[in-house]
Amino acid sequence: MTVAHEIIHFHGTPDDTVSLTYDARLLRRKKLITDQGVPFLVDLAQTTSVTGHDAFLLTDGRKIAVIAADEPLMRVTGDLTRLAWHIGNRHAPCAISDDGLFVQREKVMRSMLEQLGATVEDVTAPFTPEGGAYGHGRTMGHDHSHSHA
């Protein structure tokens, strides 16, 4: 099986793609299957959060681009500034758009948001929340030390 020991920042035409949910995009060692059905092993030196601008560089030179997969989310509308503060206070990942705030489906979060006056709608979409305190990666401290090509 081909192995990926490295993640590269990538904007070209990939050899294949792999669609991963937000939670699945945090990994260190895991067997994945590309969208064309080709298995490969990710074996990184440390746990890393990958994004839609990243690709796995396989030992045979192929580049497998990461795509944010559709997943169950909640679209939150209402007083967005106030609601965003409460979501952030819970350290929950959140995507911000002109259409509202998007968070992963979770019944306790839904209940809190509805009690705060939010309108909450179930949607299925790719989830690409805002980065951590310094604008990239997860709040856990992804240091962005992988290669750029």
Side-chain angles (χ1 to χ4, degrees):
M1 178 180 303
T2 308
V3 179
H5 295 291
E6 185 178 357
I7 297 169
I8 58 172
H9 201 69
F10 187 73
H11 291 286
T13 302
D15 297 295
D16 203 342
T17 57
V18 61
S19 298
L20 301 170
T21 63
Y22 175 71
D23 291 336
R25 293 192 308 267
L26 180 67
L27 69 168
R28 189 194 81 70
R29 183 175 168 81
K30 187 172 186 174
K31 179 183 174 185
L32 297 177
I33 299 175
T34 70
D35 294 333
Q36 293 180 14
V38 179
F40 68 101
L41 177 67
V42 175
D43 187 14
L44 304 173
Q46 61 189 12
T47 301
T48 303
S49 179
V50 294
T51 71
H53 300 292
D54 293 329
F56 294 105
L57 179 61
L58 303 185
T59 51
D60 64 7
R62 287 181 293 158
K63 296 169 187 76
I64 310 300
V66 175
I67 295 176
D70 282 348
E71 57 186 290
L73 303 173
M74 297 184 297
R75 178 177 167 260
V76 180
T77 56
D79 181 352
L80 295 184
T81 303
R82 182 170 177 252
L83 297 168
W85 186 91
H86 284 282
I87 292 167
N89 192 46
R90 291 197 44 151
H91 300 279
C94 179
I96 301 168
S97 79
D98 293 338
D99 295 338
L101 307 174
F102 293 83
V103 294
Q104 293 169 311
R105 278 189 211 165
E106 197 268 320
K107 65 182 179 179
V108 173
M109 176 70 78
R110 176 188 298 275
S111 176
M112 178 197 74
L113 292 166
E114 289 174 343
Q115 287 178 22
L116 291 167
T119 300
V120 181
E121 171 190 8
D122 286 344
V123 297
T124 301
F127 188 47
T128 53
E130 292 296 313
Y134 299 98
H136 60 268
R138 297 181 192 232
T139 308
M140 57 162 275
H142 171 63
D143 68 4
H144 207 71
S145 63
H146 51 266
S147 305
H148 291 260

